[in-house]
Amino acid sequence: MAVCARLCGVGQSRRCRRRQRHNQQDQGSDSDMDDEEGVRIVGKTQAVTGCGGPENPSAAAGPSVAHEATAECGRANVRLSYGQSASTGQPNPKSLLDLPPELLVGIFSSLPGTELPNLALVCKTFRQILNTETIWRRRCTEEFGMREDLRKIEVVGVSSRELYAKLLHPYRHILGLWQPDIGPYGGLLNVVVDGLFILGWMYLPPHDPRVEDPMRRRPLFRIHMWESNKAAVECMYGHKGPHKGDVQTGKNDEFSTKCNQTDHHRMPGGRQEEFRTWLEEEWGRTLEDIFHEHMQELILMKFIYTSQYDNCLTYRRIYLPPRLPSDLLQPGLFKGTYGSHGLEIIMLSFHGPRARATKLTGDPNVPAGQLTLDVDLNRPVRLPDLEHQRSVEELSRLVLGVHEEAQQEAQSPDVAPQGVAAGKGAVAGGGAEGLELAMEAQSESPQPGPSSSSSSSAPSEAQAFVLPLGVMARNEVYPRTCKMCFYGTGLIAGHGFTSPERTPGLFILFDEDRFGFIWLELKSFSLYSRLTDQLAHAYAPNMERFEAMLRNMQSWTS
């Protein structure tokens, strides 16, 4: 409230008026200073006499404002020296107040919006200039990405300053990516500024098994200022249109939503109609089309569980991982196949010589937040020719051989992994060196057809790939070439996340946007495709913050 009040011009200053009064007295003026303009200093705000003097007016607005305003003032003085002040300002300005108003608008427009309330406390002139729409329109655009509709707010009588002060700034902390607390199922929420709204979009994977289709989006809530001079929250869940809701922010990196009219979520046909509608939206089919009895049970269980959260939901912030030069590919979000559980969203990140995939959406066996894949980039696996690739026994022999080496190394850390011939194990090396060795190992593996001799000279040349017979795949449309393969482990568990264990498997890198994983024990193949949506306010400020977020995610569902 204090920030909003100051944005509206609350606060007083006196020295700019005292300076004016002294000037008038020097000129023989008999006018007295008005009582209201004999303003008291707010806190310890001090006045200024010039850009480079000891009493800079921008210092009253805090160190960051003082620094930027001084820098802008210096640039303005340079411009003024070329005659820009001839018509509206003094020839040799010695104070910010001597600058033309249009230059002050340009200077103030370049400062962060959070600093402008303090700047308004300096004097009446600054406060009047800070009422300029251009300044606040620029802050809305640069800080929150608003590219359109800013002029439409005039229709509802809302200024850009009010939009910034009462909507964008108060709700800035909820922008970005969030994981809803829906038990084992989790989810992905993206809160964005969309036109004159702040919208919360729930991201849903495409219908199983079309893993390469784009993500689906469903609005959960919106915040706007269309109907009054204060922000209004509306729940978008259900089938009867927007209705009253609430957004509550408490702890850092956490907020909750509440619906105040849950009757809008109900349908005339009762729970059966709600289930049929939900099934069509969630799976793109009817229950009669799903012949697998176990899959029907899983679907019904998910509907019963998630429908309990249509009144109130809590969200925890998640970050996208920053990319490092040594990363195998661009980290980020992928959608992948998980058997009868359908498609799920995972986050791929790199941690030195390891690649890790963490679930953002989950299931009753392995819930959201858990580490679904752990790949050892120091242990590349060289595939045999196509004929031997079709044998699941041959694949098991290769991967289990590397698995035994990894276990021995874990028991005896002083023993380094040994590089072996094609298909028999890993190549030693850490970080970028390990990846280079992996690419060299891939290039030496047999290639089908007459092109094998030429392809061996290019380390990044793709190798033919085919799934072994007997390995189940939800999606038969998978790439038939790959770049590299690595040993890794996948997390499996019983219902209710009972008896979790990591089992060996093969990580296959197809290209920058697709990879796969063969679960040996399950004889199952998961195909993952990159989520290509542009996600603002989503990246972690640093790797330490991202890794702390991952640890918290795992604790949420452990």
Side-chain angles (χ1 to χ4, degrees), residues 444-486:
E444 295 172 359
S445 58
Q447 302 288 326
S451 62
S452 59
S453 59
S454 60
S455 63
S456 61
S457 62
S460 59
E461 186 74 18
Q463 177 186 354
F465 172 81
V466 65
L467 280 176
L469 298 176
V471 173
M472 298 178 294
R474 299 285 296 177
N475 194 332
E476 294 293 340
V477 183
Y478 62 88
R480 292 309 196 267
T481 59
C482 68
K483 289 186 175 181
M484 288 178 279
C485 298
F486 296 90

Side-chain angles (χ1 to χ4, degrees), residues 482-501:
C482 68
K483 289 186 175 181
M484 288 178 279
C485 298
F486 296 90
Y487 158 79
T489 59
L491 182 62
I492 62 175
H495 186 81
F497 198 41
T498 56
S499 306
E501 68 172 302

Side-chain angles (χ1 to χ4, degrees), residues 211 328 334-339 346 348 354-357 359 366 371-377 379 381 383 392 395 399-400 402-403 465-468 471-475 478-479 482 484-492 501-511 513-529:
V211 68
L328 183 64
F334 291 77
K335 43 199 184 299
T337 54
Y338 277 86
I346 63 99
L348 180 69
R354 308 195 78 85
R356 291 170 179 162
K359 281 191 171 187
V366 178
L371 184 64
T372 179
L373 302 179
D374 187 5
V375 183
D376 190 345
L377 301 179
R379 300 184 182 277
V381 176
L383 295 176
V392 67
L395 178 66
V399 177
L400 290 178
V402 184
H403 181 63
F465 172 81
V466 65
L467 280 176
V471 173
M472 298 178 294
R474 299 285 296 177
N475 194 332
Y478 62 88
C482 68
M484 288 178 279
C485 298
F486 296 90
Y487 158 79
T489 59
L491 182 62
I492 62 175
E501 68 172 302
R502 308 208 66 87
T503 62
L506 183 67
F507 176 90
I508 309 107
L509 176 63
F510 294 115
D511 52 45
D513 297 322
R514 293 176 296 179
F515 64 88
F517 190 81
I518 298 178
W519 310 72
L520 284 182
E521 184 169 331
L522 303 178
K523 291 187 178 180
S524 176
F525 171 72
S526 292
L527 176 64
Y528 299 84
S529 178

Side-chain angles (χ1 to χ4, degrees), residues 324-383:
L324 303 177
S326 59
D327 290 348
L328 183 64
L329 69 157
Q330 173 71 42
L333 304 182
F334 291 77
K335 43 199 184 299
T337 54
Y338 277 86
S340 300
H341 298 293
L343 299 187
E344 298 183 9
I345 306 172
I346 63 99
M347 178 185 292
L348 180 69
S349 57
F350 293 91
H351 310 262
R354 308 195 78 85
R356 291 170 179 162
T358 305
K359 281 191 171 187
L360 297 186
T361 61
D363 51 69
N365 291 70
V366 178
Q370 294 301 314
L371 184 64
T372 179
L373 302 179
D374 187 5
V375 183
D376 190 345
L377 301 179
N378 277 345
R379 300 184 182 277
V381 176
R382 293 178 286 177
L383 295 176

